[in-house]
Amino acid sequence: MKVVVGNNEQISKLIAEEFIKVINVKPNCVLGLATGTSPLQVYAELAKANKEGRVTFKDVATFNLDEYIGLEGTHNQSYRYFMNENLFNHIDINKDRTHVLKGTGDYLAYANQYDKLIADFGGIDIQILGIGSDGHIAFNEPGTPFNSLTHVAELAESTIVDNSRLFNDISEVPTKAVTMGLQSIMNARKIVLIATGKNKAKAIYNLLKGPKTEEVPCSILQDHKDCTIYCDEDAYSLVK
Ligand code: GLP
């Protein structure tokens, strides 16, 4: 794993450039996308580059990591809504080629075919990840098997508390989600992870210095051949 430390603006710009490079080499590439506050500036940089004509998304396909069970795609805390608002509505992408797991209806059937669908598109060329304070990636909480594919997950109490800041009340936070598994994520050819803030410091320490264990889901990334961790000084503070 490579590590890059810089402020949020610097690391977001660097990650956006990694995406742009991949897309410009392979215009019909497959992007793995994440939600959360961490990738927001990366998405803003990509939208800006698209407007400036430095990259086009017209033949790109995307797959998102996860979705809350119980929220329609029109709900303002659903991850489909997040992606439309923060990226897809601002770039020249064909929305039919954007995939987000479903949180309602026959969500299980869609989840069960998700890994095959990704493979049918040729596999993920570049995957962006955030990280939870407990070391989760996507919604793979501590204890998730390393060989997991897309599945239904129970959210850890700490994740419900962390994510409640985005809801009116903690009681509104869904307790379950559908998520790509750890193996699904490892299948990506290239991975970039972004972490900012002191509340990510322990997870980043465990990722970079700790043992590889299912108790720390992100530690599986230690085995990936092309994975770069981008963090700010606060997230990196326990490593030094
Ligand atoms: C959620 C998402 C994760 C994300 C994490 C961190 O739990 N399922 O994919 O990495 O939040 O979010 P944030 O970037 O807002 O700290």
Side-chain angles (χ1 to χ4, degrees):
M1 282 185 303
K2 273 184 15 192
V3 183
V4 176
V5 182
N7 64 36
N8 187 41
E9 187 183 342
Q10 291 165 333
I11 58 181
S12 297
K13 281 191 168 146
L14 289 171
I15 294 173
E17 290 310 318
E18 289 297 322
F19 270 74
I20 292 166
K21 236 187 282 171
V22 170
I23 300 166
N24 284 339
V25 168
K26 185 178 172 188
N28 65 344
C29 67
V30 178
L31 308 181
L33 301 178
T35 52
T37 39
S38 306
L40 280 174
Q41 186 139 9
V42 175
Y43 296 156
E45 291 293 336
L46 289 176
K48 184 163 164 268
N50 186 215
K51 290 215 166 53
E52 291 167 355
R54 293 205 294 123
V55 65
T56 173
F57 294 82
K58 86 186 153 43
D59 295 322
V60 163
T62 69
F63 285 86
N64 260 80
L65 289 168
D66 46 15
E67 180 60 283
Y68 286 118
I69 290 179
L71 302 190
E72 293 286 350
T74 49
H75 188 288
N76 67 7
Q77 288 307 324
S78 79
Y79 287 168
R80 161 54 76 181
Y81 183 90
F82 175 102
M83 290 310 302
N84 287 345
E85 287 288 305
N86 292 300
L87 184 63
F88 301 150
N89 289 347
H90 309 287
I91 57 176
D92 63 347
I93 200 161
N94 172 358
K95 281 224 184 101
D96 293 344
R97 290 172 67 78
T98 67
H99 306 86
V100 182
L101 283 155
K102 296 187 206 311
T104 56
D106 208 354
Y107 62 85
L108 209 49
Y110 191 56
N112 286 337
Q113 60 165 18
Y114 206 60
D115 289 278
K116 179 165 184 310
L117 195 58
I118 294 171
D120 289 347
F121 271 79
I124 291 172
D125 292 292
I126 180 168
Q127 171 73 57
I128 184 168
L129 297 175
I131 190 168
S133 61
D134 63 356
H136 75 249
I137 47 178
F139 270 127
N140 294 284
E141 296 286 12
T144 307
F146 279 161
N147 64 0
S148 51
L149 295 174
T150 301
H151 63 281
V152 170
E154 296 271 348
L155 272 54
E157 193 54 39
S158 60
T159 300
I160 293 173
V161 171
D162 284 353
N163 292 2
S164 67
R165 71 189 194 280
L166 303 167
F167 289 78
N168 296 322
D169 188 89
I170 193 163
S171 62
E172 292 176 14
V173 185
T175 56
K176 286 184 179 180
V178 264
T179 179
M180 276 166 61
L182 293 168
Q183 185 57 52
S184 323
I185 292 169
M186 287 295 278
N187 289 342
R189 292 183 187 94
K190 182 181 188 68
I191 296 179
V192 295
L193 183 147
I194 179 165
T196 56
K198 275 255 189 290
N199 66 326
K200 303 294 172 70
K202 188 159 175 273
I204 291 299
Y205 177 84
N206 287 336
L207 167 59
L208 296 176
K209 298 285 182 198
K212 199 185 104 188
T213 162
E214 289 181 350
E215 286 315 305
V216 181
C218 60
S219 67
I220 194 175
L221 298 173
Q222 294 171 6
D223 279 351
H224 197 277
K225 287 196 189 67
D226 185 356
C227 176
T228 306
I229 313 301
Y230 292 82
C231 25
D232 71 358
E233 293 285 352
D234 284 342
Y236 195 64
S237 55
L238 293 179
V239 179
K240 284 193 276 189

